[in-house]
């Protein structure tokens, strides 16, 4: 295996070449000069500093530029909100307006230059914020919020205006939130709630409202960062900051696009290292959603399959709806302890309900272990013998007149195979449902296992729900079975992930390998390499190719066939040939010199007829026994080079059974890619075929990742298809390859 040679992604090969030549690295990491130890072999950062946002969320002084208290003016309500918020956090408020002596009874400064002190935070309400930002930078303000829209979300002119804002703050120590943002950061957060909190990041203020409203259900919210167009401060900054804050149990995100793929991965890595769950809705699954998101915030949404892979690699839990974001983040915040077991028990007062939920849970990928005979015998002390208690457990009606109901619940929670108890209550049925709820809440107080209740009543005003369930910090309460199962699956997956997590950035290579230097001689900018040259590129990175020779005459072809060994394959080799099979430029199973001569003449004739330029004809060893796979590199606008693996051969475009990963990733993640393929069983051996050499396939994936890393955007595309994975212990051979230089 490659060990520490597998690394992280590349977006600028010039930086890699500079490092290889011993030049001083140049990029900055969050505003400070990057040192060589901060950078991977591609010249990209391996860690990001956590921005100090304390004075943003808890400033000592706040200036409101464009403040107003005139009745009916749009900025009046905003100024009042900021004044109330400043009072709650203990900050001094300074209104700024050129023609008002006071606002809401506070003395008004005519300009930024006239402020009585250096302010921590300035909220800019004027339509043209650029001159104000320059004044704030001069006045050494720490943070500014630009409320105005009309920037990158509107098109080229807006993009240019936003670049001017970014340039203005980049030249100073001022940090900017926005533009095209709102004042959600300055909402009224309840301070009477206990327990771990949710921190919220949204690129659309309204999309965060359902999560913010969780406070009404007793779940604490600590921060809200509405990032807007992210001209300066971005999602990654807030994600890194929140991951470091004590008392935050989960981070909930609504993302329309990402400003920088690497920055986001570094921030997600920081959260993963600390075991802080991140739950995200990411817009852009469809072309329509991606287009709408771009018009809203002006950022890249990214190819969704690549974004999905990147989120999964770094433990970010992706959900679809805001209701799922709300429920999943709430569960993860309130259930920080890892489960003792991933086994789920379903306990219901109806056999039909139990069977239905068990079906849905199994379909969702949850494990419902059958209870042991001893446990079933124990449960039948309190549940009639004719009812099923194997899991799901049907009690036929929760006991209300004695302690049998509590004993049933305690017995289930005592089972070492059970880590999560789910109790669906399809509707209120007092006193049975009320007693069931009280028993569940009491039992939850005396266990470290997760207890979930689905309160299915459409009304939601019942005392058992409003007062008992919502009054408990130990029971996770849901209104739908689907959201409960989504959240439980996320809870189990998060703790599995963080228990095994090892940051790939720690193992990312810092210096180029000897392979990189060999590869440079083969790269031709803007050109597609011939198959022969592409295979030389693979050889440079230690990827096995068949025995083969490039020849330019029929006689040489015959000699080459004798050296390679019959049977042979013959293929036309040229820089502009993409689909040799369709053009008839491949001949297989040639077993004699005469067949080789005829094949050479036929291949060159077809090439002349098709006006295809050749650098020769390849005479190749024929390799037949194995599983055909594809491994490749493509370039994503947001994340840079990505690595793909899947079922290969002629059906690759039909089956589309592939998995993608964003470097950096390690061996375990490469194996996870293979595990996610629909055709994974082919590698294990089917219909009497031997298992394939899985270790060799993983090694090829890691070597291709190293190639993508070191060659960066010199390599626009690499396609190894087919990669023949031979029987176990025999390796893998790249039978064909296509490489396109940038």
């Amino acid at each position: 295996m490659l060990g520490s040679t597998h690394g992280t992604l590349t977006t600028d090969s010039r930086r890699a070449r500079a490092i290889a030549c011993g030049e001083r690295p140049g990029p900055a990491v969050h505003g400070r000069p990057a040192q060589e130890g901060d950078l991977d072999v591609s010249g990209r950062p391996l860690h990001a500093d956590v921005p100090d946002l304390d004075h943003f969320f808890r400033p000592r002084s706040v200036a409101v530029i464009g403040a107003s208290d005139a009745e009916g003016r749009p900025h009046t309500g905003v100024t009042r909100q900021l004044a109330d918020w400043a009072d709650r956090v203990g900050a001094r408020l300074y209104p700024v307006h050129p023609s008002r002596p006071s606002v809401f009874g506070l003395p008004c400064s005519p300009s930024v230059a006239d402020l009585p002190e250096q302010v921590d935070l300035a909220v800019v309400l004027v339509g043209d914020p650029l001159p104000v930002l320059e004044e704030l930078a001069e006045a050494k303000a720490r943070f500014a919020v630009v409320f105005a829209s009309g920037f990158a979300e509107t098109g080229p002119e807006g993009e240019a205006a936003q670049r001017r804002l970014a340039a203005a703050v980049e030249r100073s120590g001022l940090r900017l939130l926005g533009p095209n943002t709102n004042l959600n950061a300055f909402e009224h957060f309840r301070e009477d709630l206990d327990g771990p909190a949710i921190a919220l990041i949204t690129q659309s203020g309204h999309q965060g409202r359902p999560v913010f409203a969780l406070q009404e259900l007793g779940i604490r919210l600590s921060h809200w960062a509405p990032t807007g167009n992210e001209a300066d401060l971005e999602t990654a900054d807030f994600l890194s900051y929140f991951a470091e804050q004590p008392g935050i149990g989960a981070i909930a995100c609504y993302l329309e696009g990402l400003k920088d793929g690497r920055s986001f991965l570094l921030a997600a890595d920081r959260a993963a290292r600390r075991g802080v769950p991140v739950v995200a809705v990411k817009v852009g699954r469809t072309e329509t959603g991606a287009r709408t998101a771009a018009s809203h915030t002006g950022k890249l949404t990214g190819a969704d399959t690549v974004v999905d892979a990147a989120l999964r690699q770094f433990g970010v839990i992706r959900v679809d709806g805001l209701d799922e974001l709300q429920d999943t983040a709430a569960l993860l915040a309130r259930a920080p302890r890892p489960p003792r077991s991933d086994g789920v028990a379903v306990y219901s007062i109806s056999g039909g309900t139990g069977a239905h939920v068990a079906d849905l849970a199994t379909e969702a990928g949850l494990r419902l272990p059958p209870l042991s005979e001893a446990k079933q015998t124990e449960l039948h002390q309190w549940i009639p013998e004719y009812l099923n208690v194997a899991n799901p457990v049907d009690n036929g009606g929760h006991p209300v007149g004695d302690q049998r109901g509590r004993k049933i619940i305690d017995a289930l929670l005592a089972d070492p195979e059970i880590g999560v108890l789910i109790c669906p209550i399809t509707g209120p049925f007092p006193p049975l449902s009320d007693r069931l709820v009280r028993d569940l809440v009491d039992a939850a107080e005396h266990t470290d296992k997760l207890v979930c209740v689905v309160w299915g009543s459409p009304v939601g005003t019942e005392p058992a729900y409003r007062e008992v369930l919502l009054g408990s910090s130990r029971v996770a309460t849901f209104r739908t079975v689907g959201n409960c199962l989504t959240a439980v699956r996320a809870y189990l997956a998060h703790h599995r992930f963080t228990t095994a997590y090892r940051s790939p950035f720690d193992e990312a290579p810092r210096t180029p390998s000897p392979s990189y230097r060999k590869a440079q001689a083969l790269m031709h900018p803007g050109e597609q390499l011939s198959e022969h040259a592409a295979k030389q590129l693979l050889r440079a990175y230690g990827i096995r190719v068949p025995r083969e020779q490039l020849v330019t005459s029929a006689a040489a072809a015959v000699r080459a066939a004798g050296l390679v060994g019959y049977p042979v394959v013959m293929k036309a080799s040229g820089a502009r040939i993409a689909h040799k099979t369709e053009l008839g430029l491949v001949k297989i199973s040639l077993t004699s010199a005469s067949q080789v001569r005829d094949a050479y003449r036929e291949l060159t004739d077809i090439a002349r007829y098709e006006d295809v330029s050749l650098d020769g004809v390849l005479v190749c060893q024929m390799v037949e026994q194995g599983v055909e796979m594809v491994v490749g590199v493509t370039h994503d606008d947001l994340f840079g080079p990505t690595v793909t693996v899947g079922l290969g051969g002629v059906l690759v475009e039909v089956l589309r059974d592939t998995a993608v990963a964003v470097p950096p990733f390690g061996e375990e993640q490469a194996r996870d890619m293979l595990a996610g393929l629909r055709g994974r069983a082919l590698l294990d051996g089917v219909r009497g075929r031997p298992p394939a050499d899985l270790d060799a396939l993983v090694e090829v994936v890691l070597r291709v990742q190293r190639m993508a890393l070191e060659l960066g955007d010199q390599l626009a595309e690499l396609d190894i298809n087919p990669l023949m994975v031979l029987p176990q212990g025999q390796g893998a051979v790249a039978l064909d390859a296509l490489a396109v230089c940038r």
Side-chain angles (χ1 to χ4, degrees), residues 367-557:
R367 185 175 72 91
L368 274 66
L371 300 180
S372 68
E373 291 295 331
K375 180 60 65 175
Q376 293 186 50
T377 299
E378 180 184 2
L379 292 173
H380 277 309
Q381 295 178 80
W382 313 295
I383 297 174
E385 287 287 339
Y386 59 84
L387 294 175
N388 179 27
V389 295
N391 193 13
V393 176
D394 174 14
N395 63 22
H398 189 78
V400 298
D402 51 40
Q403 292 299 312
R404 285 176 298 156
R406 173 65 188 276
K407 289 179 178 180
I408 294 169
I409 296 169
D410 287 341
L412 289 171
L413 292 171
D415 192 316
E417 277 287 293
I418 302 303
V420 180
L421 177 64
I422 298 176
C423 181
I425 303 174
T426 53
F429 188 59
L432 185 153
S433 56
D434 295 25
R435 179 60 183 265
L436 173 56
V437 163
R438 283 195 296 272
D439 284 345
L440 287 164
V441 169
D442 290 344
E445 294 291 339
H446 294 86
T447 182
D448 59 359
K449 296 185 178 181
L450 179 60
V451 177
C452 300
V453 174
V454 181
W455 188 259
S457 167
V459 180
T461 58
E462 300 85 358
Y465 171 67
R466 299 295 301 183
E467 298 171 13
V468 182
L469 285 175
L470 297 186
S472 170
S473 62
R474 296 286 299 123
V475 173
T477 303
F478 302 87
R479 300 304 306 277
T480 67
V481 172
N483 280 14
C484 174
L485 299 179
T486 295
V488 169
R489 182 177 58 197
Y491 162 73
L492 296 172
H494 166 72
H495 287 290
R496 276 196 304 270
F497 176 84
T498 54
T499 298
Y501 186 70
R502 301 292 181 271
S503 174
F505 293 114
D506 290 343
E507 298 298 321
R510 269 77 167 170
T511 57
S513 67
S515 300
Y516 171 75
R517 303 178 193 279
K518 295 177 185 177
Q520 292 304 294
L522 301 169
M523 304 300 290
H524 299 286
E527 294 184 13
Q528 175 181 312
L529 302 184
S530 68
E531 179 182 339
H532 181 60
K535 285 180 174 176
Q536 287 181 307
L537 189 63
L538 298 184
R539 282 195 190 98
Y541 278 90
I543 297 170
R544 181 178 164 191
V545 299
R547 296 190 303 273
E548 62 184 36
Q549 290 191 19
L550 182 69
V551 300
T552 55
S553 71

Side-chain angles (χ1 to χ4, degrees), residues 135-156:
E135 293 173 9
L136 288 167
E138 183 70 22
K140 307 298 183 185
R142 291 176 182 264
F143 295 96
V145 178
V146 169
F147 190 67
S149 57
F151 291 92
E153 78 279 5
T154 63

Side-chain angles (χ1 to χ4, degrees), residues 530-533 549-554 556-557 570-575 577 580 585 599-600 603-604 607 612-620:
S530 68
E531 179 182 339
H532 181 60
Q549 290 191 19
L550 182 69
V551 300
T552 55
S553 71
M570 293 179 65
K571 297 187 278 187
S573 177
I577 305 176
K580 294 184 285 291
L585 294 176
Y600 183 89
L603 291 172
T604 52
V612 173
S613 178
L614 300 183
D615 59 5
V617 172
L618 282 171
V619 181
C620 311

Side-chain angles (χ1 to χ4, degrees), residues 606-628:
I606 292 173
R608 279 192 296 271
Y609 179 78
E610 296 288 348
D611 195 24
V612 173
S613 178
L614 300 183
D615 59 5
V617 172
L618 282 171
V619 181
C620 311
Q621 170 194 12
M622 188 166 177
V623 181
E624 298 181 89
Q625 296 298 318
V627 179
E628 292 187 341

